[in-house]
Amino acid sequence: MSINLQKGQRVNIQTAQGASVQKFRLGLGWDTNETDSGQDFDLDASAFILGENGKVVSDQHFVFYNNLKEPEGAVLHTGDNLTGEGDGDDEMIDIDFSKINPAVKSINIVVTIHDATERSQNFGQVRNAFVRLYDPNTNEEYMKFDLSEDFSTETAVEFGRVYLHNDNWKFEANGSGFSGGLQAFVDVYM
């Protein structure tokens, strides 16, 4: 049975559903409203793999559409969905705790709108946004976080983060909006 998370809620991933979880998939999804801009929406999921200092462990520990995996192979982006068409997950990120670099303390998951300023787009035009954690082999869902907030001017949202606390990997549902797109996160985490 899946856990429906609220903003700010934290859950131990490794003991989700009473099972010992080592590998899982983060599925991120959204729908876009019809707009007058005449431009398609291209939302992108990214993972910033951070060390103790809150910065990426190395430049290769920033996983996104131009760098689909980090050096240890613990975090893998399955590919860029340029349109978001269809139901279910629009982009996916696989995480394998057994391969995590010991320097990693947090994996922050963000979704940004590509060329948002040029296309006059923001997250206020996005609906049904969610992140879910599940077993990619059985499709068993462990937890899900539906973003219900209306981000009227933001061009980027931190959906959540996977972080290490007392030797346990946990997930925190964030749902925090930011302006500045992907560059705003690069400026903070790189």
Side-chain angles (χ1 to χ4, degrees):
M1 183 173 169
S2 180
I3 301 168
N4 288 318
L5 301 174
Q6 302 298 313
K7 184 175 181 172
Q9 187 173 359
R10 299 171 181 178
V11 178
N12 188 329
I13 296 171
Q14 291 185 287
T15 59
Q17 309 303 315
S20 178
V21 177
Q22 286 299 309
K23 298 178 187 179
F24 65 94
R25 176 168 284 168
L26 286 163
L28 300 114
W30 49 78
D31 294 317
T32 55
N33 296 330
E34 295 296 321
T35 66
D36 299 357
S37 71
Q39 300 282 331
D40 290 334
F41 275 81
D42 178 10
L43 277 71
D44 297 310
S46 303
F48 290 89
I49 304 157
L50 310 177
E52 189 86 39
N53 63 357
K55 302 290 184 185
V56 292
V57 173
S58 75
D59 288 349
Q60 292 77 38
H61 286 85
F62 168 35
V63 174
F64 68 118
Y65 56 84
N66 276 340
N67 181 41
L68 297 179
K69 69 177 186 174
E70 47 79 58
E72 293 80 25
V75 180
L76 171 70
H77 193 302
T78 64
D80 190 14
N81 179 335
L82 299 175
T83 65
E85 293 293 318
D87 293 330
D89 301 335
D90 292 309
E91 294 195 7
M92 294 154 287
I93 297 172
D94 291 337
I95 297 178
D96 183 346
F97 291 133
S98 70
K99 296 179 180 179
I100 290 276
N101 181 320
V104 173
K105 303 302 178 200
S106 176
I107 304 166
N108 292 32
I109 307 299
V110 303
V111 176
T112 56
I113 302 173
H114 186 71
D115 290 337
T117 303
E118 295 83 354
R119 297 177 181 189
S120 299
Q121 296 172 341
N122 60 58
F123 268 92
Q125 299 162 314
V126 175
R127 58 187 166 77
N128 302 328
F130 67 86
V131 59
R132 66 188 191 107
L133 282 73
Y134 64 98
D135 182 324
N137 298 317
T138 66
N139 216 25
E140 177 188 359
E141 188 173 276
Y142 302 128
M143 56 194 77
K144 185 174 183 179
F145 173 46
D146 291 308
L147 278 76
S148 58
E149 216 166 305
D150 180 23
F151 300 102
S152 59
T153 61
E154 290 83 352
T155 57
V157 175
E158 186 171 297
F159 276 43
R161 69 184 183 114
V162 175
Y163 67 99
L164 189 61
H165 179 72
N166 293 334
D167 296 325
N168 288 299
W169 285 99
K170 297 186 174 200
F171 179 79
E172 179 181 18
N174 283 349
S176 300
F178 298 88
S179 297
L182 185 58
Q183 188 61 50
F185 289 103
V186 169
D187 292 345
V188 169
Y189 295 132
M190 302 283 291

